Amino acid sequence: MEIGIIGLGLIGGSLAKAISQNTDNTVYGYDISDQVVKKAVLVNAIEQPLTDKLLPQCDIVIVALYPQAAVDYVKNHADLFKKGSIVTDCCGIKTLVCDELIPLSEEKGFLFIGGHPMAGLEHSGFTYAKKSLFNNASMVFTTTKGPIESMSKLKDLFTSIGFTNIEITTPEEHDRKIAFTSQLAHVVSNAYIKSPTAREHSGFSAGSYKDLTRVAKLNEDMWTELFLENPENLTNEIDTLIDNLKAYSDAIKSKDSETLKALLKDGREKKAVIDGEIF
Amino acid sequence: MEIGIIGLGLIGGSLAKAISQNTDNTVYGYDISDQVVKKAVLVNAIEQPLTDKLLPQCDIVIVALYPQAAVDYVKNHADLFKKGSIVTDCCGIKTLVCDELIPLSEEKGFLFIGGHPMAGLEHSGFTYAKKSLFNNASMVFTTTKGPIESMSKLKDLFTSIGFTNIEITTPEEHDRKIAFTSQLAHVVSNAYIKSPTAREHSGFSAGSYKDLTRVAKLNEDMWTELFLENPENLTNEIDTLIDNLKAYSDAIKSKDSETLKALLKDGREKKAVIDGEIF
């Protein structure tokens, strides 16, 4: 197949490298930076720059831009996609993207299926892109009615570059779950580091601190956009966590060891159930 | 030297294995479970069971029990410690332990120095003990006036079993910092998993979720005791985090992208400063 990748940042660049090196598909790539496109050709991440002339040949187009930019790109190129081809994206929120692009794709004769590779790093850009980024990761596709043959084609492509789990869900379910597993984690990590104690803790940090603060170093432009496109789900999660944290604080302030122990036991058991250790 | 270890759980058991296998000191061990003591002899973690007859021969005694049990053990054996010997512990809080035991040790002619190995696992017991547990970890000693020769003896022992950083501080400073680096992390992780979304997220979790919830699986008996012996520091940290989280929630609810971006940027920069990447 001929595959076009729009945006050669961490995710798009890693997809380009992984597809070019692990499959026999031909990869074309576009990036706003000419330098990045040239570098991608140089390291064989793409065969050649993706032009408006090549775009109509692509069987699959993967748009790896921020959400609003991804929507704009697909809208602006809607007439150029090959009839029957698949267009997917990599955005961390899916309702906005799918609400705009699924109807458009039906009108224009291509198939839009939302995509979200559950992988990343606390770095951005082609410089950090690597073909192993998706090893053992989950790939989530969101669609309301994509035909099974096309889903199957996408599944084959993504499992051939390292993904070991493919999820298919609705955009709404995706956004609700991702608010918990990814967005809340980034908010908490970013907030955790703001304690005044943080600057003096050197030498006192074990693994738990390191884990809690790893993703504090996020890209604020991208995450601001992602958070504001999923406001209800995310604030529900933040507010739920705040309520839960208050319960511990209250129990400790009132020196209520029974309540505190019950809170901790409940958390331990919930984690064990989720990890499949107790049922 | 002859070294006694009281309590052969994850920490005491790992210390016994590491000292026996990495140094030429003789290790004696005691545990409330006879089976554990026998197993420790069998796997050469200790040379023989520590008895009240051997205790007065020990140059260093390491008490690896929960805080109140550690205090009780040292009080009950105060007359048996060798004059001039060093007694230390492994508790995650230090003010309570040092307030009780430093004056006692001065009265009885031994030297009590608080200790906290910054290492652990989300498992308990001798079964999980391993000599590599302390590799590249920090060891914190808390004392108000221990002589430098004794600190030096402890430093040599602990660096010979894998610790690469030795901190010396007061019990109060230790408890303030540990509330942030370790206790808060365990509270947040344990609270995070309580979202109703947690049970349905399978397939949607990337590294950030895994990191945030790793230590949710804690030992509630031990942590209840640790939290209640450090209530002011820990509730300060929890309440600070709640306030910080509210700011994100408010910015998202009011769709205030400038404030949200500024909050995220501030967190990213604080993390980068702490990690030594920007100054």
Side-chain angles (χ1 to χ4, degrees):
Chain A
M1 294 189 293
E2 291 171 79
I3 297 176
I5 298 178
I6 315 303
L8 298 171
L10 175 68
I11 299 295
S14 296
L15 286 169
K17 287 183 174 178
I19 297 173
S20 290
Q21 291 171 37
N22 295 340
T23 76
D24 53 11
N25 297 296
T26 301
V27 178
Y28 311 126
Y30 169 80
D31 194 89
I32 196 169
S33 156
D34 270 352
Q35 286 301 309
V36 166
V37 175
K38 282 176 189 156
K39 196 171 168 194
V41 173
L42 190 71
V43 302
N44 300 315
I46 61 174
E47 197 185 275
Q48 52 177 301
L50 178 63
T51 60
D52 282 359
K53 207 170 151 189
L54 283 172
L55 191 57
Q57 290 178 212
C58 292
D59 304 290
I60 295 178
V61 175
I62 305 173
V63 185
L65 303 174
Y66 290 6
Q68 194 55 55
V71 169
D72 293 345
Y73 177 87
V74 176
K75 281 185 175 173
N76 294 337
H77 295 77
D79 290 317
L80 291 178
F81 299 123
K82 186 200 251 184
K83 302 299 164 200
S85 69
I86 302 170
V87 179
T88 185
D89 73 314
C90 301
C91 299
I93 48 102
K94 302 263 62 86
T95 308
L96 167 104
V97 176
C98 292
D99 281 357
E100 295 247 30
L101 300 181
I102 290 177
L104 177 71
S105 72
E106 288 169 346
E107 183 192 327
K108 300 289 185 177
F110 62 93
L111 179 71
F112 184 80
I113 296 175
H116 182 189
M118 303 294 304
L121 284 180
E122 58 275 38
H123 301 292
S124 309
F126 186 77
T127 310
Y128 293 99
K130 52 180 183 179
K131 68 170 179 171
S132 62
L133 188 67
F134 310 111
N135 286 350
N136 301 311
S138 274
M139 178 71 202
V140 183
F141 291 113
T142 60
T143 175
T144 44
K145 45 193 161 183
I148 206 73
E149 297 75 16
S150 305
M151 290 307 306
S152 184
K153 204 183 279 184
L154 280 180
K155 179 185 168 183
D156 290 347
L157 176 64
F158 281 82
T159 50
S160 71
I161 60 170
F163 289 96
T164 45
N165 181 45
I166 306 287
E167 298 281 334
I168 301 175
T169 186
T170 63
E172 292 74 19
E173 275 300 285
H174 168 276
D175 288 359
R176 198 171 63 79
K177 289 178 182 168
I178 218 68
F180 170 71
T181 57
S182 170
Q183 297 193 332
L184 180 64
H186 285 79
V187 170
V188 172
S189 196
N190 195 266
Y192 195 105
I193 203 71
K194 292 185 180 176
S195 162
T197 319
R199 292 191 77 147
E200 343 161 35
H201 79 276
S202 170
F204 290 76
S205 68
S208 56
Y209 160 81
K210 286 173 198 149
D211 281 358
L212 266 286
T213 60
R214 182 179 63 85
V215 294
K217 223 176 325 178
L218 44 71
N219 172 337
E220 64 262 16
D221 295 313
M222 182 178 82
W223 287 99
T224 295
E225 192 173 335
L226 291 172
F227 291 168
L228 290 180
E229 280 156 4
N230 198 20
E232 279 188 34
N233 288 316
L234 179 53
T235 55
N236 278 347
E237 293 295 344
I238 298 174
D239 296 349
T240 298
L241 178 62
I242 287 174
D243 287 344
N244 280 319
L245 286 172
K246 268 187 200 148
Y248 297 79
S249 184
D250 291 345
I252 296 167
K253 281 173 190 160
S254 55
K255 304 195 186 307
D256 180 350
S257 77
E258 284 315 302
T259 300
L260 180 58
K261 195 180 290 186
L263 287 168
L264 294 168
K265 180 169 183 279
D266 181 43
R268 170 177 64 75
E269 289 177 347
K270 284 196 161 70
K271 172 70 171 163
V273 167
I274 289 162
D275 289 358
E277 292 166 11
I278 56 176
F279 303 96
Chain B
M1 294 188 293
E2 292 171 77
I3 297 176
I5 298 178
I6 315 302
L8 298 170
L10 175 68
I11 299 295
S14 295
L15 286 169
K17 286 182 174 178
I19 298 173
S20 290
Q21 291 170 37
N22 296 340
T23 77
D24 55 10
N25 297 296
T26 302
V27 178
Y28 311 125
Y30 170 80
D31 194 88
I32 197 169
S33 155
D34 269 352
Q35 285 300 310
V36 166
V37 175
K38 282 177 188 157
K39 196 170 167 195
V41 172
L42 191 70
V43 301
N44 299 317
I46 62 173
E47 197 185 276
Q48 53 177 299
L50 178 63
T51 58
D52 283 359
K53 205 170 152 188
L54 283 172
L55 191 58
Q57 290 177 213
C58 291
D59 303 290
I60 295 178
V61 174
I62 306 173
V63 184
L65 303 174
Y66 289 8
Q68 194 55 56
V71 169
D72 292 345
Y73 177 87
V74 176
K75 280 185 176 173
N76 294 337
H77 294 78
D79 289 318
L80 290 178
F81 297 123
K82 188 201 252 187
K83 302 299 163 199
S85 68
I86 302 170
V87 178
T88 185
D89 74 314
C90 301
C91 300
I93 49 101
K94 301 262 63 85
T95 307
L96 168 104
V97 176
C98 291
D99 281 358
E100 295 246 31
L101 299 182
I102 289 176
L104 177 72
S105 73
E106 288 170 346
E107 184 192 326
K108 299 290 185 175
F110 62 95
L111 179 70
F112 183 82
I113 296 175
H116 182 190
M118 302 296 302
L121 284 181
E122 58 274 37
H123 301 292
S124 308
F126 187 77
T127 309
Y128 293 98
K130 53 181 182 178
K131 68 171 179 170
S132 63
L133 188 68
F134 311 110
N135 287 351
N136 301 312
S138 274
M139 178 71 202
V140 183
F141 291 113
T142 61
T143 174
T144 45
K145 45 191 159 183
I148 205 75
E149 296 76 17
S150 304
M151 291 307 305
S152 186
K153 204 183 280 184
L154 279 180
K155 179 187 169 184
D156 291 346
L157 176 64
F158 282 82
T159 50
S160 71
I161 59 170
F163 289 95
T164 45
N165 181 45
I166 305 286
E167 299 281 335
I168 301 175
T169 186
T170 63
E172 291 75 21
E173 276 300 285
H174 167 277
D175 287 359
R176 197 171 63 79
K177 290 179 181 166
I178 219 67
F180 170 70
T181 57
S182 171
Q183 297 193 333
L184 180 63
H186 285 79
V187 170
V188 172
S189 196
N190 195 266
Y192 195 105
I193 203 71
K194 292 185 180 175
S195 162
T197 321
R199 292 191 77 148
E200 343 161 38
H201 79 277
S202 171
F204 290 76
S205 67
S208 57
Y209 160 81
K210 286 172 198 151
D211 281 359
L212 265 287
T213 59
R214 182 180 62 84
V215 293
K217 222 173 329 173
L218 45 69
N219 172 337
E220 64 262 17
D221 294 314
M222 182 177 81
W223 287 99
T224 296
E225 192 173 335
L226 290 172
F227 291 167
L228 290 180
E229 279 156 5
N230 199 20
E232 279 188 33
N233 288 315
L234 178 54
T235 55
N236 279 346
E237 293 295 343
I238 297 173
D239 296 348
T240 298
L241 179 62
I242 287 174
D243 288 344
N244 280 320
L245 287 172
K246 268 186 199 149
Y248 297 79
S249 184
D250 291 345
I252 297 167
K253 282 172 190 160
S254 55
K255 305 197 186 305
D256 180 350
S257 77
E258 283 316 301
T259 300
L260 180 58
K261 196 180 290 185
L263 287 168
L264 294 169
K265 180 167 182 278
D266 180 44
R268 170 176 65 74
E269 288 177 348
K270 284 196 160 71
K271 171 72 171 163
V273 167
I274 289 162
D275 289 358
E277 291 166 12
I278 56 178
F279 303 96

